[in-house]
Amino acid sequence: MQAKAAADPVRAKESIASYLPYWLHRIVILFTGLLIFFPQANPGRISLKISEYASLFTTATSRATITNSMGRILREEWIRQSDITLLMIGSAVVLLGILLSAVGGCMSLGNVRMRKRGCLFPMGGGLIMLAGCGVIYRAYQNVLAHGTEVDRLGRIDPNLPAGLPLFAVLGALITLTGLIIFFMLRGRQAEEKMDMDEKFRLFLMFLPVLLLTFVFAYLPIYGWRFAFFDYKIGDALNGDNFVGLKWFTFLFENGATRADLGRVLVNTLAMSGLGIATSWLPIAFAVFLAEVPSSKFQRFVQTFTTIPNFISWVLVYAIALAIFSTDGFVNSFLRLLGNNSAAVNYLDSPDHTWLKMLLWGTWKGVGWSAIIYIAGISGIDQQLYEAADVDGANRWHRIWHITIPGLMPTYMVMLLMSIAGILSNGMEQYLVFRNARNTDVIQVLDLYVYDIGIGQGLIPLSTVVGIFKSLIGVTLLFGANRISKAIRGESII
């Protein structure tokens, strides 16, 4: 017994030690994958004329971005187009190596056979990364040599980026850890076929969603730094234009800005409030559609009402213009009926703008929003309906006592999420329907941020407004979560 007890810690230490290379391997791959989106780590900024906001991903995919400030330099051939092409090829090769390494990192979650196959990908991917870094370094040498030849080094500002040796070291680490794993697995018995635990398969299925969420929801938070600088488009962020909390105080001290923000918040809360007040419409639509006996008619109606969700707001406005403009269908029909009074441009009028936006949004989204409730209805136990029929319940009784209670948990979650996002009601709809007469009642917070940021060039002020909007949204989310726990006893986060 004592010998067995003494052997257990040894076995546990061996197990932990055997997993350390895997975790190091995955962490290095993950860290390398994240760096491709950060401009400070860009290994392809071989000239200071390349935008400091260009990341490795941008350098490999957008020629216009890395050459937009090189007009004369390229025209005079102080930097040759072939060197820019070589730079983009090297950056793309580095990205390819990272992608192969990521595939191997995912395969390292499988059984022995899958791990043996998977360790080959990062070994090759790391070497490909090193080759890509070599190509980028060659492009830098070409720029340096040609700049010296034409005596224009001061104009082209050659630069050996710090990200280049960083990615080379990471590529070497990925190759090294892949080799270690390969030798660790050499003597182990492999299964007949590659396999992976279900929990890891589900994680990998969800991984693209996590990556997209990181890139489009969390990575932009890095842009909050603009709120602390007196930034103009094209400027660099440095100590010369650092202003601290100037724009935060300006937002509340300036009377005109306070008035605009108050008006915009009223519009935002009013239209979001109308949306929340009518959030029961999708559930009602789903319930009534489920009661239709004809399955063909159900599919037709569901398809017909879902299609508007995939129509852009620009096309929706074109449809509205064809119906409600001065020469649209409504005014033309009224003239046919003998109404010769002046035509009314219903889209141009500021009257009932909030209601109009609600109706257009409902028409566009009710079918799509009902899908989750239709799926919820199909998941309700059919034995409940059969028992209700035996007890003499009619259709309305079944709806009220079985269908609606079965959908209420889903509805409550969607409702609380809507409350948490009350300040985020989008921009596109209000942008296309806006005109000079209704702008005061249609401008919502997202559109206001767009106007002052892109329209007026006040990037720091728009960033400050966006920060406060995000913080209020997070506060509302946790508040809604507390309400959910208090009322339903369940948490939504």
Side-chain angles (χ1 to χ4, degrees):
M1 291 294 292
Q2 292 179 351
K4 182 178 180 181
D8 286 340
V10 175
R11 192 176 294 111
K13 290 180 180 179
E14 290 177 351
S15 177
I16 294 173
S18 65
Y19 276 102
L20 280 177
Y22 289 102
W23 284 109
L24 177 62
H25 185 62
R26 294 163 189 160
I27 290 172
V28 172
I29 293 174
L30 178 62
F31 179 69
T32 307
L34 294 178
L35 282 183
I36 69 175
F37 299 107
F38 286 89
Q40 288 79 1
N42 182 13
R45 195 175 183 229
I46 58 176
S47 168
L48 296 181
K49 297 301 181 182
I50 296 175
S51 173
E52 63 176 322
Y53 305 115
S55 63
L56 172 63
F57 182 82
T58 305
T59 305
T61 56
S62 176
R63 191 185 192 94
T65 301
I66 61 177
T67 60
N68 59 5
S69 60
M70 294 185 179
R72 185 183 178 189
I73 292 175
L74 293 176
R75 285 195 305 271
E76 301 289 342
E77 293 192 347
W78 298 341
I79 293 179
R80 293 172 294 194
Q81 292 283 358
S82 58
D83 294 330
I84 299 296
T85 302
L86 189 63
L87 169 64
M88 295 186 67
I89 291 173
S91 301
V93 170
V94 174
L95 287 181
L96 176 61
I98 296 173
L99 179 61
L100 291 175
S101 302
V103 171
C106 294
M107 294 179 70
S108 69
L109 298 172
N111 58 8
V112 175
R113 186 177 185 85
M114 181 176 286
R115 279 182 275 167
K116 282 187 174 182
R117 296 282 181 86
C119 67
L120 300 177
F121 285 91
M123 288 166 58
L127 294 175
I128 291 174
M129 284 180 60
L130 291 173
C133 290
V135 173
I136 294 175
Y137 184 73
R138 179 62 182 175
Y140 164 74
Q141 291 288 349
N142 290 348
V143 168
L144 187 63
H146 188 67
T148 303
E149 181 181 331
V150 299
D151 195 22
R152 285 295 185 271
L153 284 180
R155 294 293 185 91
I156 63 178
D157 292 330
N159 174 56
L160 183 61
L164 188 59
L166 174 62
F167 273 86
V169 170
L170 290 173
L173 276 175
I174 291 173
T175 303
L176 179 62
T177 53
L179 277 171
I180 292 174
I181 293 172
F182 175 76
F183 284 112
M184 284 175 54
L185 295 172
R186 284 187 63 185
R188 295 193 59 178
Q189 182 70 29
E191 296 83 356
E192 293 185 2
K193 61 179 182 179
M194 293 188 293
D195 194 15
M196 184 182 294
D197 289 344
E198 184 179 5
K199 61 181 180 180
F200 293 129
R201 290 201 300 267
L202 293 175
F203 170 74
L204 293 178
M205 289 174 62
F206 190 63
L207 186 60
V209 178
L210 290 177
L211 293 176
L212 290 175
T213 302
F214 170 78
V215 172
F216 293 106
Y218 290 99
L219 190 61
I221 294 177
Y222 183 66
W224 282 8
R225 68 192 193 281
F226 286 98
F228 304 96
F229 293 85
D230 195 5
Y231 175 75
K232 299 292 187 299
I233 296 176
D235 290 347
L237 300 181
N238 50 49
D240 295 334
N241 55 11
F242 179 77
V243 293
L245 299 177
K246 167 189 171 182
W247 293 105
F248 290 86
T249 56
F250 177 84
L251 181 65
F252 297 102
E253 291 179 351
N254 186 276
T257 304
R258 285 202 312 270
D260 287 341
L261 194 58
R263 171 181 55 81
V264 166
L265 284 175
V266 169
N267 295 336
T268 303
L269 294 173
M271 282 188 260
S272 295
L274 288 173
I276 292 173
T278 56
S279 60
W280 55 270
L281 288 175
I283 193 172
F285 176 77
V287 168
F288 289 127
L289 185 62
E291 294 298 321
V292 175
S294 174
S295 59
K296 291 184 179 179
F297 184 74
Q298 282 184 354
R299 289 194 295 268
F300 170 76
V301 172
Q302 187 175 353
T303 302
F304 188 75
T305 55
T306 303
I307 287 175
N309 179 74
F310 301 99
I311 301 175
S312 70
W313 278 110
V314 176
L315 293 179
V316 172
Y317 181 75
I319 295 171
L321 191 67
I323 298 174
F324 295 107
S325 66
T326 305
D327 298 322
F329 172 78
V330 173
N331 284 298
S332 299
F333 183 72
L334 291 175
R335 282 193 291 268
L336 286 175
L337 295 178
N339 186 353
N340 296 321
S341 59
V344 179
N345 190 340
Y346 298 97
L347 296 178
D348 195 37
S349 172
D351 299 333
H352 313 296
T353 298
W354 296 346
L355 181 60
K356 294 175 192 174
M357 295 300 99
L358 172 67
L359 293 176
W360 282 112
T362 302
W363 169 79
K364 191 173 186 293
V366 68
W368 177 259
S369 301
I371 290 177
I372 189 172
Y373 300 114
I374 293 173
I377 291 173
S378 64
I380 296 176
D381 190 354
Q382 295 301 311
Q383 292 182 359
L384 296 174
Y385 293 102
E386 295 171 1
D389 290 335
V390 172
D391 291 339
N394 59 28
R395 176 175 296 182
W396 295 106
H397 290 151
R398 292 196 302 268
I399 292 174
W400 186 255
H401 295 286
I402 300 176
T403 306
I404 292 180
L407 294 177
M408 284 307 295
T410 303
Y411 173 71
M412 288 300 298
V413 171
M414 301 300 293
L415 177 63
L416 293 176
M417 292 298 291
S418 298
I419 295 173
I422 196 170
L423 296 181
S424 301
N425 46 8
M427 180 195 74
E428 296 86 353
Q429 176 185 3
Y430 311 102
L431 177 64
V432 298
F433 277 92
R434 182 176 62 173
N435 55 61
R437 295 187 61 193
N438 67 6
T439 186
D440 287 340
V441 291
I442 203 173
Q443 190 179 41
V444 294
L445 191 60
D446 289 327
L447 183 56
Y448 178 69
V449 171
Y450 171 81
D451 287 337
I452 62 175
I454 304 300
Q456 302 177 29
L458 298 175
I459 302 294
L461 184 59
S462 65
T463 305
V464 170
V465 176
I467 290 174
F468 279 113
K469 174 194 159 188
S470 299
L471 295 178
I472 292 172
V474 171
T475 304
L476 288 173
L477 177 62
F478 283 100
N481 185 60
R482 292 181 67 89
I483 294 173
S484 175
K485 291 182 68 174
I487 295 177
R488 301 171 54 242
E490 297 181 6
S491 176
I492 61 176
I493 56 174

